[in-house]
């Protein structure tokens, strides 16, 4: 009997039933998709990191190295489980071609490496350790998609040729946020290419010797479980061991891997929350309408003596059927959609965990989602329990203004949530693709950044470059900042190594979360990570040990930074004697530096007729090459941002398209549904209007305005609040990238298009929803008011 | 053309079968018949609320059956009035607003009807309110304008419904069982109102079950199985002869198998 009742009810209310299943399915789909993406990503990363045996602590170093010193250090530290020194031959990007594509524009440090002896393995596409034969090379898998490479293609390094034998998964450096990329070659090829460099070394125009390739060392440690990597890093630095490059820890590697691919998951998670909220509201509202409609039937059942539990069971059984249908459809859709969305995860980290665990997680997500629906439905059904048989039979229906207000509020809220959902990823994309975004990450907002590192004469080279820049007519302004190594005196009296970037920080200022850049001699600004670790805020004092003397500095500002492990400081000047460990030059061009208006967004300008790089781009590349020959690593900031966040931006772009599609679908469905409901609810009144002589157009015009008003208010409110408060939500993502307390960069033209499309869609939806008005007959009202 | 309303060979599915009749200006015509005979269906077709399967209906020179939905709506708004059995008032409007509803819609547009009363369709809301109050006073519900429809009696509500139907001064008033949902005294009040309107020259076409109500009309048509089976011409009622009229109608109805 129950089945018959349910089936008849579904047949009679196809629209209600279809919408309920749709809302349950779309919510399930998004939550399952979130779970599948996150569990797939984390599973794949952990799987790869486990198989590759990523070191717990890795210190990069260029220059001379005494393994005996490190061996001695290892002997004194029981927490070290294993250690090794890997070599990395840093190549000149302009001399590399992959399958005929030059890497000259690459912002990555590309270099050769041999397989790790004891751990830190470079794995192939099956996550196995590949055997590389002489003359072969394994290329980082991120380049496979980028340059459409295939096995058998050639890699050229100057005159040397290597055949691509496969593609690599590098657990440490797969993410584009990791600035280096390792190419795996045989020991013989590594040595041959390294020795070739010695013969190719030349003398620059400034008179200094430069090498095309530079060998670096990765000093890697596996630590026992429970070891504090930060404390270990401090111990390493205190031992005075080789450390003129960045140090990386295993959690940082894991975070970088997860972040560059987790943003899409985060946006889909955000979408799933909003859609779930909308769906619950819509289903509860539909249920309330249905209860009003069934009021007399319920009264009759109660009068006949049917218990409240049985009546509730009748409704619950129906929604349980809907939940099962919705869950099935949602799961299926999520599985189908997850495949293209996991493409990058598969490429970089291997097959995501799509086994039993992922299925169980997906099922659990579905159970939770549908459970939330059923819980709210149950709460709603308690209204029926409170209703007496007499009330149900004889009281009037809750039509009119109260119900109308609820509908308008709901439709307005849905429109608000939809535009909010679209604006957040869109603004996140605009913000992160803006060249000024680097200022949130500890990098000055300039056109070019030049790094002078890992060379014997850092100060000399920097000074010569400053002279050259001073004479360069293309330059608008530049600044040289020297990073010096000093000791900081901690509150407990201990000292620790500390890097301070000195120079004029007001020319290309980074974004300060608090305070201002240092201008006075005794002022210092700290990165947020350093300030947090030392428990310091603006106005506090910090004691540095320079020239054998302790000097107090006042913390004048705190800034966000992700460079050099996030632990940096900036001062106008620290002790003269402190050794310079590296220097950075920031440069900006005049507008017509290369014969035309220089493209600030870093887009590659092409001559459309020939399909070649424009003269401006060629001139700029030649200019950069000139400074590279002076011994600096020269990068275009816009290219750097694209190179570092390109993948993430692509994902955000994809996610914002998914969000836009979801928002449009939800808005159309909800608006059509509610306009249809309003028309159905007021069918009697509308028929009466017609009987009294109102034309269908008169009535449709009123209902169009009635329907559009809450939608338009919702869209405008969502537009204002999404732009104003969306920053807070995106802060969660961007803070993970190191960019704290950022301001949204809003592309008004783009956002206006979104608003325009949503409004247009809403108008079409309202119009479609009230189409039924034309079909209502004037005589319908004569058959009574129920 | 003599008739104000002319119905010719009207059919509606299996319900109406070749129905033809005329209503003259100033006439009060009743349509009677047993349940399911097609009385209400006939009224819907004649008033342009539903589309007949075939046949034609004219109001004056206008062929209703040839009009579009919007054309029929305009015709109903400006040239017809309706009184329903269930009153059919908007629950979320008070009595006065309900009465004003069609008039508020009509005043927005100019409309030339047969009598050329173009000026009335442009009345302001306050002018319309004055007009509504005048009608309400005439029908004995002057102080009930601000009441909700649930706060007045059935008779008062039906009189308000008649006020609403008269706001645009229609050429013909259609009444579907106007006393069907009322008690005896309320039904009497409503009939007096309708008779008064007819005396003033308003043409009325009424569907009724009640022989007493039908006996007040000038003419009665008897509908059976979708066909007109009989016609009784009564003439205008005169004072002190209502009883005889009722007897005449009852006898006629008995003859028709009522």
């Amino acid at each position: 009997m129950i089945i018959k009742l349910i089936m008849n009810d579904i047949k009679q209310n196809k629209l209600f039933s279809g919408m309920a299943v749709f809302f349950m399915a779309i919510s399930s789909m998004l939550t399952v998709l979130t779970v599948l993406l996150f569990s797939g990503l984390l599973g794949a990363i952990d799987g790869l990191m486990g198989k590759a045996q990523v070191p717990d602590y890795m210190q990069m170093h260029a220059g001379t190295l005494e393994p005996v010193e490190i061996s001695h250090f290892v002997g004194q530290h029981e927490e070290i489980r294993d250690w090794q020194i890997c070599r990395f031959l840093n190549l000149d990007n302009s001399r590399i071609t992959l399958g005929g594509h030059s890497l000259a524009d690459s912002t990555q440090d590309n270099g050769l490496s041999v397989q790790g002896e004891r751990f830190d393995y470079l794995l192939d596409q099956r996550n196995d350790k590949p055997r590389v034969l002489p003359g072969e090379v394994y290329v980082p898998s991120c380049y496979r998609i980028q340059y459409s490479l295939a096995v058998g293609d050639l890699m050229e390094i100057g005159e040397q040729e290597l055949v691509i034998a496969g593609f690599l998964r590098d657990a440490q450096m797969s993410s584009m946020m990791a600035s280096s990329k390792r190419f795996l070659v045989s020991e013989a090829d590594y040595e041959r290419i390294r020795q070739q460099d010695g013969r190719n070394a030349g003398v620059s125009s400034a008179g200094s010797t430069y090498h095309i390739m530079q060998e670096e060392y990765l000093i890697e440690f596996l630590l026992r479980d429970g070891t504090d990597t930060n404390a270990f890093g401090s111990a390493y630095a205190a031992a005075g061991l080789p450390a003129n490059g960045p140090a990386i820890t295993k959690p940082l590697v894991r975070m970088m891997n997860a972040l560059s691919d987790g943003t899409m998951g985060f946006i889909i998670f955000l979408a799933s929350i909003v859609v779930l909220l909308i769906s619950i509201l819509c289903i509860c509202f539909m249920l309330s309408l249905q209860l009003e409609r069934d009021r007399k039937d319920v009264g009759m059942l109660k009068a006949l003596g049917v218990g409240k539990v049985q009546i509730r069971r009748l409704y619950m059984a129906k929604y349980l059927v809907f939940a099962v249908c919705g869950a099935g459809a949602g799961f299926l859709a999520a599985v189908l959609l997850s495949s293209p969305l996991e493409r990058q995860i598969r490429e970089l980290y291997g097959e995501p965990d799509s086994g039993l665990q992922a299925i169980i997680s997906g099922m659990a997500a579905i159970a939770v989602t549908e459970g939330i629906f059923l819980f709210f439905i149950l709460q709603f059904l308690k209204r029926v329990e409170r209703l007496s048989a007499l009330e149900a039979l004889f009281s009037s229906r809750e039509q009119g203004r109260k119900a109308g207000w609820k509908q308008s509020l709901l439709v307005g809220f849905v429109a608000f949530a939809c535009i909010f959902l679209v604006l957040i990823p869109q603004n996140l994309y605009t913000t992160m693709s803006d060249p000024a975004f680097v200022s949130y990450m500890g990098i000055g907002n300039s056109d070019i950044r030049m790094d002078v590192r890992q060379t014997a004469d850092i100060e000399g080279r920097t000074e010569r470059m400053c002279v050259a820049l001073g004479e360069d007519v293309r330059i608008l302004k530049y600044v040289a900042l020297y990073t010096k190594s000093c000791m900081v005196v901690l509150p407990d009296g201990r000292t620790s190594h500390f890097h301070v970037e000195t120079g004029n920080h007001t020319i290309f200022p980074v974004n300060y979360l608090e305070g201002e850049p240092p201008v006075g001699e005794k002022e210092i600004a700290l990165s947020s990570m350093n300030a947090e670790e030392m428990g310091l805020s603006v106005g506090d004092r910090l004691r540095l040990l320079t020239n054998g003397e302790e000097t107090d500095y006042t913390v004048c500002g705190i800034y966000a930074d992700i460079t050099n492990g996030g632990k940096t400081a900036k001062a106008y000047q620290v002790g003269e004697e402190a050794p310079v460990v590296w220097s950075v030059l920031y440069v900006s061009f005049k507008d017509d530096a290369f014969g035309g208006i220089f493209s600030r967004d870093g887009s590659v300008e092409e001559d459309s007729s020939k399909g070649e790089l424009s003269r401006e781009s060629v001139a700029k590349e030649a200019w950069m090459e000139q400074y590279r020959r002076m011994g600096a690593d020269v990068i275009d900031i816009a290219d750097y941002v694209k190179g570092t966040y390109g993948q993430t931006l692509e994902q955000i772009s994809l996610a914002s398209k998914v969000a836009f599609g979801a928002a449009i679908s939800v808005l159309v469905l909800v608006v059509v549904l509610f306009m249809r409901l309003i028309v159905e609810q007021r069918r009697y009144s509308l028929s009466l209007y017609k009987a009294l002589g109102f034309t269908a157009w008169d009535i449709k015009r009123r209902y169009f305005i009635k329907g559009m008003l809450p939608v338009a208010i919702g869209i405008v409110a969502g537009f204002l609040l999404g732009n104003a408060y969306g920053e807070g939500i995106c802060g969660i993502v961007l803070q993970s990238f190191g960019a704290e307390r950022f301001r949204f960069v809003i592309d008004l033209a783009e956002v206006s298009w979104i608003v325009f499309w949503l409004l247009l869609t809403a108008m079409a939806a309202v119009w479609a929803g009230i189409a039924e008005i034309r079909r209502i007959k004037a005589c319908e009202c004569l058959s009574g008011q129920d | 053309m003599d008739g104000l309303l002319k119905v010719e060979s009207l059919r509606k599915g299996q319900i109406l079968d070749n129905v033809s009749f005329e209503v003259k200006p100033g006439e009060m015509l009743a349509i009677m018949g047993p349940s399911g005979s097609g009385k209400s269906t006939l009224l819907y077709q004649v008033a342009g609320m539903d589309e007949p399967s075939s046949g034609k209906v004219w109001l004056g020179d206008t062929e209703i059956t040839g009009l579009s939905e919007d054309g029929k709506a305009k015709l109903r708004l400006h040239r017809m009035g309706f009184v329903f059995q269930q009153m059919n008032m908007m629950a979320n409007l008070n009595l006065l607003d309900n009465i004003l509803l069609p008039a508020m819609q009509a005043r927005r547009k100019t409309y030339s009807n047969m009598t050329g009363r173009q000026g009335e369709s442009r009345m302001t809301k306050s002018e319309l309110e004055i007009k509504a109050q005048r009608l309400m006073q005439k029908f004995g519900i002057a102080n009930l304008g601000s009441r909700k429809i649930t706060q007045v009696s059935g008779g008062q509500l039906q009189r308000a419904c008649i006020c609403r139907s008269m706001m645009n001064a229609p050429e013909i008033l259609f009444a579907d069982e106007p006393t069907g949902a009322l008690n005896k005294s309320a039904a009497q009040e409503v009939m007096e109102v309708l008779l008064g309107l007819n005396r003033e020259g308003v043409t009325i076409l009424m569907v009724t079950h009640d022989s007493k109500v039908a006996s007040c009309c000038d003419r009665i048509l008897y509908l059976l199985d979708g066909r007109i089976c009989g016609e009784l011409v009564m003439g205008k009622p005169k004072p002190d002869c209502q009883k005889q009229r009722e007897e005449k109608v009852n006898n006629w109805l008995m003859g028709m198998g009522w």
Side-chain angles (χ1 to χ4, degrees):
Chain A
M1 186 59 134
I2 286 181
I3 294 170
K4 200 173 172 186
L5 271 171
I6 291 170
M7 292 317 289
N8 282 341
D9 192 76
I10 292 171
K11 270 184 209 163
Q12 281 166 14
N13 300 291
K14 289 189 193 86
L15 185 70
F16 267 30
S17 310
M19 294 307 292
V21 172
F22 168 79
F23 283 124
M24 287 175 164
I26 196 169
S27 302
S28 299
M29 183 196 83
L30 288 170
T31 37
V32 173
L33 208 54
T34 310
V35 169
L36 286 183
L37 281 178
F38 274 119
S39 71
L41 176 67
L42 295 178
I45 290 173
D46 283 345
L48 179 69
M49 284 176 71
K51 199 133 195 218
Q53 295 192 42
V54 171
D56 294 299
Y57 187 85
M58 192 265 279
Q59 175 67 57
M60 294 180 85
H61 177 75
T64 53
L65 183 80
E66 287 299 330
V68 183
E69 290 176 14
I70 298 166
S71 179
H72 183 66
F73 170 78
V74 170
Q76 291 173 331
H77 289 83
E78 284 184 354
E79 68 269 33
I80 299 171
R81 195 151 51 89
D82 205 349
W83 71 285
Q84 68 178 11
I85 298 171
C86 289
R87 292 186 297 164
F88 177 74
L89 189 60
N90 207 336
L91 302 172
D92 175 5
N93 285 342
S94 65
R95 288 167 60 82
I96 311 173
T97 58
L98 279 174
H101 302 276
S102 169
L103 291 196
D105 287 337
S106 173
T107 54
Q108 298 281 326
D109 289 334
N110 295 295
L112 303 181
S113 192
V114 293
Q115 189 61 275
E117 282 174 25
R118 306 160 74 87
F119 54 93
D120 188 18
Y121 303 123
L122 301 171
L123 306 176
D124 64 13
Q125 294 296 94
R126 290 193 300 268
N127 282 4
D128 291 329
K129 268 170 70 181
R131 254 188 81 230
V132 198
L133 301 172
E136 286 182 350
V137 63
Y138 274 72
V139 174
S141 57
C142 59
Y143 290 136
R144 184 165 83 151
I145 303 172
Q146 200 172 347
Y147 299 114
S148 309
L149 300 175
V151 171
D153 285 348
L154 282 184
M155 175 184 180
E156 292 168 65
I157 306 162
E159 289 82 39
Q160 315 271 344
E161 281 188 355
L162 296 166
V163 178
I164 298 174
F167 298 92
L168 276 185
R169 292 204 181 112
D170 185 345
Q172 279 205 81
M173 301 178 186
S174 264
S175 159
M176 290 308 272
M177 284 175 76
S179 59
S180 301
K181 291 286 164 282
R182 291 191 281 189
F183 291 71
L184 182 65
V185 290
S186 66
E187 190 78 43
D189 283 331
Y190 185 93
E191 283 304 326
R192 183 168 55 84
I193 294 167
R194 190 175 69 86
Q195 282 159 18
Q196 187 74 29
D197 175 49
R199 293 193 283 277
N200 285 342
V203 178
S204 74
S205 55
S208 59
T209 305
Y210 66 89
H211 285 263
I212 294 164
M213 303 171 198
Q214 177 124 36
E215 191 167 41
E216 293 175 26
Y217 299 98
L218 313 180
I219 307 157
E220 301 177 332
F221 299 93
L222 280 182
L223 304 175
R224 294 193 193 285
D225 289 344
T227 308
D228 179 0
T229 46
N230 284 332
F232 180 79
S234 299
Y236 183 91
L241 292 170
N244 65 1
I248 294 166
T249 60
K250 191 173 175 180
L252 193 68
V253 170
R254 194 168 190 269
M255 193 181 80
M256 276 203 299
N257 283 334
L259 278 179
S260 53
D261 293 277
T263 318
M264 183 168 60
F266 176 79
I267 290 170
I268 292 175
F269 169 69
L270 201 68
S272 69
I273 297 279
V274 174
V275 170
L276 183 67
L277 203 66
I278 290 173
S279 301
I280 289 170
L281 277 171
C282 290
I283 285 182
C284 286
F285 190 75
M286 286 195 297
L287 185 62
S288 79
L289 288 177
Q290 208 171 8
L291 287 177
E292 285 299 323
R293 195 203 57 192
D294 297 348
R295 205 179 171 90
K296 281 203 162 65
D297 294 341
V298 170
M300 186 195 69
L301 288 172
K302 286 199 166 190
L304 291 174
V306 179
K308 58 187 179 184
V309 177
Q310 276 101 326
I311 293 171
R312 194 173 62 195
R313 197 180 289 160
L314 214 64
Y315 282 97
M316 281 307 283
K318 186 172 76 171
Y319 279 91
L320 204 62
V321 171
F322 292 163
V324 170
C325 294
F331 191 79
L332 206 68
V335 169
L336 290 175
L337 260 176
S338 68
S339 182
L341 295 176
E342 282 175 343
R343 190 169 148 245
Q344 185 166 303
I345 299 171
R346 271 197 296 274
E347 186 69 28
L348 294 180
Y349 309 107
E351 207 54 45
D353 179 13
S354 53
L356 195 65
Q357 199 189 334
I359 290 172
I360 291 170
S361 313
M363 294 284 188
I366 285 225
V368 170
T369 312
E370 300 302 341
I372 291 172
F373 278 121
L374 293 175
F375 170 78
F376 278 100
I377 289 166
L378 197 67
Q379 293 303 309
F380 232 86
L381 288 174
K382 287 188 177 161
R383 282 184 182 192
V384 182
E385 290 173 14
R386 288 195 288 267
L387 202 67
S388 75
L390 274 179
E391 273 176 335
L393 277 171
F394 300 112
S395 61
S396 63
R397 289 168 59 171
E398 188 208 350
Q399 271 190 342
R401 281 175 191 165
K402 201 176 162 195
W405 265 109
K406 277 188 195 169
Q407 279 164 342
S408 298
L409 261 175
L410 190 71
V411 172
F413 173 77
V414 169
F416 168 84
C418 283
I419 191 147
F420 205 77
L421 187 64
V422 180
L423 279 184
I424 286 177
Q426 174 58 41
N427 285 342
L428 189 62
Y429 180 82
T430 317
T431 305
M432 285 186 74
S433 57
D434 191 273
F437 185 65
V438 290
S439 66
Y440 290 102
M441 300 185 297
I443 299 169
N445 182 18
S446 59
D447 291 328
I448 297 286
R449 172 180 161 130
M450 300 175 176
D451 284 67
V452 183
R453 286 174 193 241
Q454 299 168 355
T455 176
D457 182 23
I458 292 171
E459 280 173 281
R461 279 190 192 193
T462 311
E463 274 161 28
R464 282 193 291 279
M465 289 174 75
C466 284
V467 172
L469 287 168
E471 291 167 357
D472 198 327
V473 290
R474 293 184 168 104
I475 304 305
L476 180 69
K477 56 183 180 176
Y478 71 94
V479 70
L481 303 171
Y482 297 89
T483 297
K484 296 186 173 184
S485 178
C486 19
M487 304 294 280
V488 62
V489 183
L490 298 171
D492 59 7
R494 288 185 299 122
T495 57
S496 176
H497 275 271
F498 197 60
H499 286 166
V500 184
E501 190 175 45
T502 61
N504 188 341
H505 296 283
T506 57
I507 298 175
F508 296 103
V510 296
N511 196 280
Y512 281 82
L513 309 176
E514 283 174 54
E516 288 170 348
V519 285
E521 293 224 339
K522 296 284 181 281
E523 285 184 343
I524 192 163
L526 297 176
S527 69
S528 55
M529 212 183 271
N530 253 337
E532 197 177 318
E533 200 171 289
M534 291 192 261
L536 296 173
S537 50
V538 172
D540 288 348
R541 301 216 161 237
L542 175 76
R543 187 162 290 179
L544 290 184
L545 194 61
T546 53
N547 306 339
E549 291 174 16
E550 288 187 4
T551 316
D552 279 343
Y553 285 79
T554 308
V555 178
C556 61
I558 292 169
Y559 57 92
D561 195 0
I562 59 158
T563 62
N564 301 302
K567 291 184 185 177
T568 60
K570 295 178 192 293
Y572 182 72
Q573 182 61 276
V574 288
E576 290 287 335
E577 306 286 310
V580 174
V581 281
W582 67 75
S583 70
V584 175
L585 291 107
Y586 288 109
V587 180
S588 70
F589 297 116
K590 290 175 185 166
D591 274 349
D592 56 350
F594 295 99
I597 299 297
F598 187 73
S599 165
R600 282 272 293 171
D601 67 0
S603 57
V604 177
E605 298 155 31
E606 289 193 0
D607 185 325
S608 56
S609 60
K610 293 177 188 168
E612 292 169 355
L613 289 174
S614 69
R615 272 182 299 152
E616 285 81 10
S617 297
V618 172
K620 184 179 155 201
E621 189 51 44
W623 182 92
M624 284 164 67
E625 189 56 34
Q626 172 196 336
Y627 283 89
R628 278 189 194 117
R629 286 183 170 274
M630 292 176 76
D633 191 5
V634 182
I635 54 166
D636 186 324
I637 293 284
D639 284 347
Y640 171 77
V641 172
K642 277 202 167 177
T644 311
Y645 296 105
Q647 281 180 350
T648 309
L649 284 173
E650 263 176 44
Q651 287 200 343
I652 294 175
S653 169
L654 182 65
S656 70
K657 279 175 194 148
V658 171
F660 187 71
I664 288 272
S665 320
V666 168
L667 186 67
V668 166
L669 279 163
V670 170
V671 170
V672 169
L673 169 76
F674 283 103
M675 291 320 290
R676 275 296 299 272
L677 283 178
I678 288 171
V679 169
E680 279 305 317
Q681 258 186 330
R682 301 181 189 175
R683 202 175 176 93
Y684 161 79
S685 306
L686 295 175
S687 162
L688 183 58
Y689 273 118
K690 279 195 165 183
L692 293 174
F694 286 60
T695 63
W697 168 250
D698 289 331
I699 303 169
K700 279 173 92 173
R701 200 182 51 207
R702 286 177 190 201
Y703 274 74
F704 181 76
I705 295 168
K706 219 179 232 183
M708 269 314 288
L709 202 67
V711 174
I713 291 172
I715 287 178
V716 170
F719 170 75
L720 296 174
L721 295 176
N723 285 333
Y725 296 105
E727 287 168 351
I729 296 169
C730 290
I732 302 165
V733 185
L734 294 180
Q735 200 169 343
S736 328
F737 285 106
E740 293 179 44
R741 293 187 213 175
F742 70 103
R743 302 292 307 167
F744 257 160
V745 175
I746 297 164
D747 183 347
L748 258 183
E750 193 67 35
V751 167
S752 305
W753 266 111
I754 290 171
V755 171
F756 171 77
W757 277 112
L758 281 177
L759 276 174
L760 203 68
T761 311
M763 283 163 85
V766 171
W767 198 250
I770 58 174
E772 181 66 16
I773 290 177
R774 185 156 282 281
R775 289 187 280 274
I776 294 175
K777 286 181 179 174
C779 58
E780 286 178 28
C781 64
L782 303 181
S783 54
Q785 190 174 353
D786 211 39
Chain B
M1 186 182 287
D2 285 335
L4 175 65
L5 183 79
K6 192 176 173 190
V7 179
E8 195 179 279
S9 309
L10 200 69
R11 289 175 198 273
K12 176 71 180 177
Q14 306 289 314
I15 308 166
L16 295 177
D17 183 14
N18 202 24
V19 177
S20 301
F21 66 93
E22 273 188 27
V23 184
K24 294 185 177 69
E27 192 180 13
M28 187 167 175
L29 175 70
I31 296 173
M32 292 192 79
S35 290
S37 60
K39 302 185 297 291
S40 294
T41 307
L42 176 63
L43 193 76
Y44 304 157
Q45 315 305 310
V46 170
M49 290 190 197
D50 200 3
E51 194 66 35
S53 306
S54 66
K56 289 178 179 175
V57 179
W58 281 273
L59 178 66
D61 290 333
T62 313
E63 191 198 327
I64 299 172
T65 38
L67 292 174
S68 65
E69 277 300 311
D70 286 352
K72 285 177 192 166
K74 283 176 187 168
L75 199 77
R76 285 198 296 275
L77 181 68
H78 296 277
R79 295 173 64 185
M80 296 175 178
F82 294 91
V83 179
F84 308 105
Q85 181 182 7
Q86 301 296 337
M87 290 78 168
N88 296 36
M89 293 275 189
M90 298 289 175
N92 50 2
L93 296 180
N94 64 24
L95 218 56
L96 179 62
D97 288 337
N98 263 296
I99 291 168
L100 283 170
L101 194 68
M104 291 292 287
Q105 176 69 8
R107 70 167 178 145
R108 292 190 185 170
K109 295 176 186 124
T110 53
Y111 187 84
S112 300
N113 66 11
M114 282 169 69
T115 52
R117 283 176 288 117
Q118 202 169 358
E120 275 192 5
S121 61
R122 285 182 176 159
M123 289 168 87
T124 62
K125 192 184 177 191
S126 56
E127 283 172 327
L128 286 172
E129 277 176 356
I130 293 167
K131 187 177 178 182
Q133 289 291 354
R134 217 176 282 152
L135 280 170
M136 288 166 76
Q137 197 158 25
K138 183 176 168 181
F139 299 144
I141 50 171
N143 301 320
L144 307 179
S146 59
R147 298 251 184 113
K148 285 183 181 175
I149 62 166
T150 49
Q151 292 171 329
V152 294
S153 71
Q156 288 167 329
L157 199 60
Q158 193 60 295
R159 277 181 277 164
C161 190
I162 296 170
C163 281
R164 180 178 68 182
S165 69
M166 294 309 296
M167 278 299 288
N168 289 337
E171 293 165 41
I172 186 164
L173 187 67
F174 293 98
D176 184 10
E177 303 273 11
T179 58
L182 304 175
N183 61 30
K184 209 169 174 183
S185 65
Q188 183 65 36
E189 286 168 15
V190 167
M191 270 320 290
E192 277 167 16
V193 167
L194 288 174
L195 280 168
L197 285 171
N198 183 243
R199 275 195 294 273
E200 287 169 15
V202 176
T203 309
I204 298 173
L205 172 58
M206 177 194 300
V207 166
T208 184
H209 253 102
D210 191 336
S211 59
K212 197 175 173 186
V213 169
S215 67
C216 301
C217 296
D218 302 346
R219 192 154 58 104
I220 306 169
L221 296 177
Y222 191 79
L223 203 66
L224 186 67
D225 297 334
R227 286 165 175 259
I228 293 176
C229 297
E231 180 182 9
L232 179 65
V233 178
M234 301 282 292
K236 292 283 174 203
K238 288 171 186 151
D240 304 328
C241 59
Q242 182 56 27
K243 216 158 187 118
Q244 290 94 315
R245 287 175 75 96
E246 280 179 39
E247 271 179 31
K248 190 178 175 184
V249 170
N250 285 334
N251 289 336
W252 177 72
L253 285 174
M254 277 171 71
M256 298 301 299
W258 179 256

